[in-house]
Amino acid sequence: MTPEKVLREGVLEKRSGGLLQLWKKKRCLLTEKGLQLFEPKGSRRKELSFARMKAVECVEWKERHIYFTVVMDDSLEIDFRCAQEDPGWNAEITMGLVRFKNQQAMQERKSKITASRKLLLKSLMLAKAKEEWDQEIVDKQAEKERYLSERVTPLHTSGLSLSQLQDLCRELHEKVEIVDEERYDIEAKCNHNTREIKDLKIKVLDLRGKFKRPPLRRVRVSADAMLRALLGSKHKVSMDLRANLKSVKKEDTEKERPVEVGDWRKNVEAMSGMEGRKKMFDAAKSPTGQ
């Protein structure tokens, strides 16, 4: 029996399946056949073989850890996490899974690529792209540090005389002026490109179609004319409110009646007592009697 080739060795944290779901550290060996988990203190071993493994999903970066989930054939999901100082476990497991599936497909001599194999190849390409992207970020950071170390040299002012310090200040001022000129030129180019882009956008809008806004003027329109223009023949109700008013002549208005103004005290004395009450009763009864 030939020993299995170890692809990677390290420490992973596995979420327990209990009620508390605690993270427990496991010493892990990634081989060509699967992922082997060992207890930190002991020889107990649990193997997640690639034959039973379905995919590696839910890759997420949070704080100081990288979280990923291993999905098995029986829909069992096992959560793992690793430190950001030791990344790439999810990519290595995915690549090992794809390699194992490809070997199985080659052994079975299938002429057509199945959907599962396409999915695995896509996972491999994504994992490889993620790995290259991370490497590109690291290379860019290293290139930036190298460029800054070349352009921005450390200043050593200890032990310099006054004239040497003055010469150093003049040299720094000259460099600052050169950089400022370059910045001004780049800013002018950016503004020029921005104006050109704006002009091209206007030309594209003109080519799509020209629309001229007609000159408008104020027109006094009555309510009937506006409704007739909107409703057409359906408009039958007149909005002329004065037409429904009743015309009243001046002769029919209430005529002024002369009012005799007498002494109010005589009226009070005349209406007092039984005789006054009889007069009031007769006066109220006289129109009905007529």
Side-chain angles (χ1 to χ4, degrees):
M1 184 177 179
T2 58
E4 298 178 359
K5 181 182 177 181
V6 178
L7 302 177
R8 186 166 182 176
E9 182 177 1
V11 178
L12 285 176
E13 292 184 49
K14 174 181 172 294
R15 192 198 296 270
S16 63
L19 181 63
L20 299 178
Q21 295 187 352
L22 301 176
W23 291 98
K24 295 182 180 180
K25 291 186 177 181
K26 303 285 184 180
R27 188 173 64 88
C28 301
L29 289 178
L30 181 62
T31 63
E32 295 179 346
K33 293 185 178 181
L35 181 65
Q36 298 179 5
L37 307 176
F38 296 86
E39 295 291 339
K41 298 179 181 179
S43 60
R44 290 183 57 187
R45 186 184 74 171
K46 181 180 180 180
E47 184 175 5
L48 303 176
S49 63
F50 288 142
R52 295 178 51 247
M53 196 178 296
K54 192 174 181 180
V56 181
E57 299 177 348
C58 302
V59 180
E60 189 175 9
W61 292 60
K62 281 187 178 180
E63 296 179 356
R64 296 176 298 175
H65 295 88
I66 303 171
Y67 296 79
F68 59 95
T69 304
V70 176
V71 183
M72 308 301 290
D73 281 340
D74 53 355
S75 300
L76 177 64
E77 297 182 356
I78 305 173
D79 297 330
F80 291 94
R81 73 177 183 182
C82 61
Q84 291 189 5
E85 293 79 12
D86 187 21
W89 271 100
N90 55 326
E92 292 286 345
I93 296 173
T94 305
M95 291 174 66
L97 175 61
V98 172
R99 195 179 296 112
F100 181 81
K101 297 294 183 182
N102 289 339
Q103 290 177 359
Q104 280 189 340
M106 290 175 64
Q107 290 176 2
E108 293 174 359
R109 295 181 180 179
K110 290 184 178 180
S111 59
K112 295 183 180 180
I113 300 177
T114 59
S116 60
R117 189 179 177 187
K118 286 183 181 179
L119 182 62
L120 291 174
L121 290 174
K122 187 181 291 185
S123 302
L124 176 61
M125 292 172 63
L126 291 175
K128 188 64 177 177
K130 181 66 171 60
E131 184 179 357
E132 292 181 356
W133 184 45
D134 295 339
Q135 186 63 33
E136 184 179 355
I137 293 175
V138 174
D139 295 341
K140 284 184 178 180
Q141 186 67 23
E143 181 66 20
K144 181 179 179 181
E145 293 177 357
R146 184 191 63 79
Y147 180 78
L148 291 176
S149 63
E150 290 179 358
R151 297 297 296 269
V152 185
T153 57
L155 296 177
H156 300 287
T157 58
S158 60
L160 296 178
S161 61
L162 180 59
S163 61
Q164 291 176 346
L165 288 174
Q166 291 177 352
D167 294 338
L168 180 60
C169 290
R170 293 191 189 97
E171 183 181 354
L172 292 177
H173 276 292
E174 290 177 358
K175 291 182 178 180
V176 169
E177 290 177 356
I178 293 172
V179 173
D180 197 13
E181 290 178 359
E182 293 178 355
R183 180 193 61 80
Y184 179 79
D185 294 340
I186 294 173
E187 186 176 358
K189 289 180 180 179
C190 290
N191 293 333
H192 178 69
N193 293 335
T194 303
R195 287 194 296 270
E196 284 188 350
I197 291 171
K198 187 176 180 181
D199 295 339
L200 290 174
K201 286 183 178 179
I202 294 174
K203 289 181 181 179
V204 169
L205 292 177
D206 292 339
L207 291 174
R208 287 181 179 175
K210 295 183 179 180
F211 175 76
K212 293 184 179 180
R213 183 178 179 182
L216 304 177
R217 60 177 181 174
R218 293 184 179 180
V219 180
R220 291 185 179 180
V221 182
S222 63
D224 290 334
M226 189 177 297
L227 291 174
R228 196 177 298 109
L230 293 175
L231 302 177
S233 61
K234 297 180 180 179
H235 174 62
K236 296 180 180 179
V237 181
S238 176
M239 295 296 293
D240 190 4
L241 301 179
R242 294 182 180 181
N244 299 326
L245 295 178
K246 182 179 180 181
S247 60
V248 180
K249 296 182 180 180
K250 293 184 179 180
E251 290 80 5
D252 296 338
T253 57
E254 186 178 359
K255 297 180 180 179
E256 295 182 1
R257 296 179 181 179
V259 180
E260 296 180 358
V261 180
D263 191 0
W264 60 273
R265 287 173 293 182
K266 293 181 180 180
N267 295 332
V268 172
E269 291 176 358
M271 296 297 176
S272 62
M274 292 297 294
E275 295 181 358
R277 293 180 181 177
K278 185 178 179 182
K279 291 179 180 179
M280 292 175 62
F281 179 76
D282 294 338
K285 187 178 178 181
S286 58
T288 56
Q290 292 176 359

